[in-house]
Every structure is written in C-alpha cells, then in structure tokens.
Amino acid sequence: MAKGALPSDRVMRFLDDAGIMKRPKRSNPEKAVPRKERKAKAEEAAKAAAAPKAPKAPAAPAAS
C-alpha cells in the first residue's frame, strides 16, 4: 500500500471500521427509488427519445 496500491471497496470498509484508513462516503440516489419506478422512468425517457418531432404544418388560410 505504501507504493500506491488501493484496497478494494470491501477491504476499505474493514480498514475504515478498524480506524486505519478513511473511506469516502458514497451516494447512489437511484438505489433509493423503487425498481418499478426506475423502470417506468427509463421507458418514458426511451419513448420520448424515440418519438420523432414532427415539424408543425403552417395553418391553412380560412376560406371567405
């Protein structure tokens, strides 16, 4: 370790518990969202990306 080797995440946890090294906090906000909701959100994003944006047709002039 003195030559720059880094411990794996699991080993880093053990070293942090022992007080030898400090483990940085990690955040995974996606894990907090229930799986069904993540899936639905991903599907909606895919549909929005796949849907081609059609150009607006000019309004037809009204006949008098």
Side-chain angles (χ1 to χ4, degrees):
M1 292 245 237
K3 294 192 178 193
L6 296 175
S8 67
D9 192 44
R10 181 169 299 286
V11 172
M12 184 66 101
R13 286 182 198 210
F14 295 139
L15 295 174
D16 187 38
D17 289 342
I20 298 171
M21 291 184 81
K22 188 67 180 159
R23 179 175 165 257
K25 291 202 175 226
R26 298 177 85 178
S27 175
N28 185 358
E30 282 293 312
K31 192 167 186 167
V33 178
R35 186 165 186 237
K36 285 182 185 178
E37 291 176 17
R38 280 195 312 242
K39 244 180 156 178
K41 187 176 178 184
E43 287 174 2
E44 287 175 16
K47 284 181 186 177
K53 294 183 180 180
K56 288 188 176 182
S64 300

